[in-house]
Amino acid sequence: SNAADSAVGEAGDTAETHDAYAAKDGPIPLTTLDLHRNMMCCMGMGMCGLDTLINRCQSLSHLDLSDNSLGAPGMTLLAGMLWQCTSLVELNVGFNHLWNEGAKSLADVVERCPLLVKLDVSKNGIESSGMERLAASLAKCSSLEHLALGNNSLGGSGAQWLASVLNRCRRLTRLDLASNRLDDQGMGMLCSVLPDRCSLVHLDVAWNNIAADGAFHLACVLARLPLLRTLNLRHNTLGREGVWVLS
């Protein structure tokens, strides 16, 4: 009797173990996954298991992988993992040392996410060539409301690529371009393409060496920004003339 009970017990344990492993391989009903600053990767290494986790999160809509030192190789690997995540609404890959090559891999992800509402690519060293590829993908994101590109190196030419798609992002309410070396020329390019009755509520162009000419471009477009509530111009070079123009 004891032997029979033991056999039944072992069989039950085996069945429970099998069920546990089956559950482990099944889908996870997560919609939000926050892995901010988890030391996941260094130059594309150390991402083992992330692909399995993402594949199991079939309903994933919010993904935060910021501050993980992904690098361009890591972003390339991530792009392969996210090829089925077409329902992403928010994606944060800020502070990951993506540079231009990583921005191109990110663009592959963005163009497959038509529902994207928020994209954070801040602090990644992205320059004009990276912005060129990213801009082509952003043109397909008609639902985009929040675009964070602060602390990159877009410059005037990168601003031109961004300007080429801004008029397609008609739902955009927050645009962060702080610390991007835009200067007056870049500011002029951006202002020239803002659509009439633009929905912008928050515009951050701090630390961009914007002087009186850039302030003039901005002043000319303020009438087309009826919803604007926050304008960050900190640490520029407007001078008294630039402030007077804005007034």
Side-chain angles (χ1 to χ4, degrees):
S1 176
N2 290 339
D5 290 343
S6 177
V8 170
E10 290 177 1
D13 291 343
T14 301
E16 289 176 4
T17 301
H18 180 272
D19 290 344
Y21 274 105
K24 185 177 182 296
D25 293 332
I28 302 175
L30 283 179
T31 57
T32 299
L33 179 59
D34 189 340
L35 290 168
H36 166 77
R37 194 181 290 179
N38 267 281
M39 297 183 293
M40 291 169 44
C41 178
C42 181
M43 297 304 291
M45 304 302 292
M47 298 180 72
C48 181
L50 182 61
D51 55 342
T52 302
L53 176 59
I54 289 177
N55 284 335
R56 294 178 64 199
C57 298
Q58 298 174 2
S59 302
L60 195 63
S61 59
H62 297 67
L63 178 62
D64 188 341
L65 290 169
S66 57
D67 198 2
N68 272 294
S69 300
L70 296 181
M75 189 65 236
T76 299
L77 291 175
L78 182 62
M81 298 175 192
L82 293 175
W83 71 277
Q84 284 186 317
C85 292
T86 56
S87 59
L88 277 180
V89 174
E90 292 189 12
L91 176 61
N92 187 346
V93 289
F95 202 12
N96 269 303
H97 314 295
L98 299 185
W99 313 114
N100 293 326
E101 287 304 311
K104 294 172 184 177
S105 297
L106 173 62
D108 293 337
V109 176
V110 171
E111 67 183 11
R112 294 195 299 268
C113 298
L115 303 179
L116 202 62
V117 171
K118 179 181 179 181
L119 176 63
D120 192 333
V121 202
S122 55
K123 299 182 181 179
N124 273 302
I126 298 172
E127 300 173 320
S128 177
S129 62
M131 190 66 240
E132 177 183 2
R133 179 65 182 88
L134 192 56
S137 296
L138 289 173
K140 302 177 182 180
C141 296
S142 59
S143 299
L144 193 66
E145 295 179 6
H146 184 175
L147 178 59
L149 284 164
N151 289 277
N152 282 292
S153 300
L154 301 186
S157 54
Q160 184 175 9
W161 289 115
L162 177 60
S164 69
V165 297
L166 273 185
N167 60 355
R168 302 188 191 183
C169 301
R170 292 186 171 271
R171 296 187 182 181
L172 196 66
T173 59
R174 295 179 63 91
L175 179 59
D176 179 5
L177 293 170
S179 192
N180 264 293
R181 299 188 290 111
L182 297 182
D183 62 41
D184 291 342
Q185 181 184 14
M187 196 70 227
M189 291 175 182
L190 292 172
C191 289
S192 67
V193 297
L194 289 176
D196 290 337
R197 309 299 293 175
C198 183
S199 57
L200 272 183
V201 175
H202 177 101
L203 176 60
D204 188 347
V205 287
W207 293 94
N208 271 302
N209 198 32
I210 298 169
D213 286 348
F216 173 77
H217 293 306
L218 186 56
C220 291
V221 80
L222 282 179
R224 301 210 307 268
L225 304 175
L227 301 179
L228 191 67
R229 295 296 178 267
T230 302
L231 175 60
N232 189 352
L233 284 162
R234 299 175 65 184
H235 293 283
N236 281 293
T237 55
L238 300 184
R240 287 189 297 178
E241 182 183 355
V243 174
W244 180 83
V245 167
L246 284 173
S247 65

